[in-house]
Amino acid sequence: MKFDRLLGAACAAALIASATAANAADWRGWNIHPDGYPNTVALEQFVADVTEKTEGRVTATVFNNGVLGSQPDAIEQTRSGALDFANFSLGPMGPIVPATNVLSLPFLFTGEDQMHMVMDGEIGQELSDAMSEYGLVGLAWFDAGSRSFYNSVKPINTPADVEGMKIRVMNNDLYVDMVGELGGNATPMAFAEVFQSLQTGVIDGAENNYPSFESTNHFEVAGYYSVTEHLIIPECICVSTAAWDALSDGDKEIVKTAAINAANTQRELWAD
């Protein structure tokens, strides 16, 4: 009789464990940056915290270096639920979520501290709410520094120096128009293609923050980095609404807190 009770208890425990494993969410995340980059370190902290604090109800893995596709492709995959979370620049988000286009206006912020204050407040929440209508939930905001022009031809000291240059931009008509107003020829292009395109002369230059310019070795094929700081564009930790809606209220709080902590880590590393 005692053996039967023990056997019954063991079977019940096994069934509970099996049901828990079956109900666990296995999240896949996209990241364009390489190992050791501030965003990558922060995302690895995020996935570790989520897995630990949910006690395995959500397990998460982040795939770095854009191996799961370009940023526009990854945005669509996350919106559809094929990916569960990602770190996105809000630059190429504009064509999908029009409200975020305001962040792509040149010289919008006076500096990164002002950007943090705006994005951590009501405006950041309003933009997150707007994104949720398009399949994405913005949980926290990363720093991305100031974007400046760089090229292989000459220094850019005045707007007129851009005239005639072929400049790679992110996939957003605002950037195409911006370069066009300066007299240049804008070329929307995946970030992974920039190095070879600079090397072969398909483009003359691009624009990005200095850490990205350095970490991708673009300085080897574009020797002129001009500190124009024309854009300060935040980035997000975004979760697909499908993944978010499947969470309990308690796990949503855990994931949100993990994202905010990851953003704080990313900003500290970026400032260093």
Side-chain angles (χ1 to χ4, degrees):
M1 193 70 171
K2 184 177 179 181
F3 175 77
D4 289 343
R5 286 198 300 269
L6 289 173
L7 181 60
C11 290
L15 286 171
I16 291 170
S18 177
T20 301
N23 292 330
D26 185 13
W27 282 10
R28 299 167 66 245
W30 180 91
N31 173 35
I32 198 171
H33 301 291
D35 293 344
Y37 199 84
N39 301 42
T40 304
V41 173
L43 285 170
E44 289 169 348
Q45 174 187 310
F46 171 72
V47 301
D49 283 353
V50 166
T51 301
E52 177 187 355
K53 298 295 172 56
T54 63
E55 299 180 340
R57 291 186 298 277
V58 179
T59 59
T61 305
V62 59
F63 295 85
N64 304 323
N65 291 302
V67 296
L68 298 181
S70 67
Q71 186 157 204
D73 288 343
I75 291 173
E76 291 302 329
Q77 289 183 66
T78 308
R79 291 179 65 206
S80 70
L83 290 173
D84 301 291
F85 71 98
N87 164 212
F88 291 134
S89 168
L90 295 188
M93 194 71 71
I96 299 165
V97 186
T100 62
N101 261 333
V102 67
L103 300 170
S104 292
L105 296 176
F107 306 107
L108 177 66
F109 297 114
T110 58
E112 292 164 36
D113 288 343
Q114 186 192 41
M115 182 271 285
H116 295 159
M117 180 183 68
V118 170
M119 297 306 295
D120 290 341
E122 292 181 8
I123 292 175
Q125 185 57 54
E126 289 176 7
L127 292 171
S128 179
D129 292 343
M131 291 165 63
S132 69
E133 298 178 12
Y134 295 87
L136 300 166
V137 179
L139 298 179
W141 312 104
F142 280 5
D143 202 340
S146 303
R147 299 177 73 93
S148 293
F149 287 108
Y150 56 92
N151 73 93
S152 61
V153 180
K154 62 182 179 180
I156 295 175
N157 296 315
T158 69
D161 293 327
V162 179
E163 187 171 355
M165 282 191 183
K166 295 172 288 185
I167 303 292
R168 178 266 176 180
V169 296
M170 291 184 289
N171 185 31
N172 189 323
D173 288 343
L174 283 177
Y175 308 136
V176 174
D177 293 342
M178 177 185 70
V179 171
E181 288 295 321
L182 295 172
N185 300 306
T187 303
M189 177 184 295
F191 185 62
E193 300 174 11
V194 174
F195 185 94
Q196 184 175 4
S197 296
L198 284 166
Q199 191 174 45
T200 58
V202 171
I203 57 174
D204 300 312
E207 50 90 47
N208 213 322
N209 56 62
Y210 192 83
S212 294
F213 173 72
E214 183 179 39
S215 67
T216 53
N217 297 323
H218 287 185
F219 60 86
E220 294 179 1
V221 287
Y224 300 101
Y225 189 93
S226 304
V227 186
T228 55
E229 297 186 337
H230 52 279
L231 290 169
I232 297 177
I233 305 174
E235 300 190 358
C236 69
I237 295 184
C238 294
V239 174
S240 75
T241 54
W244 182 252
D245 290 343
L247 296 175
S248 67
D249 289 344
D251 283 347
K252 284 179 181 177
E253 186 63 31
I254 289 171
V255 172
K256 175 76 171 178
T257 299
I260 292 171
N261 290 339
N264 290 335
T265 295
Q266 192 270 349
R267 293 178 189 182
E268 291 172 6
L269 293 173
W270 190 274
D272 290 343

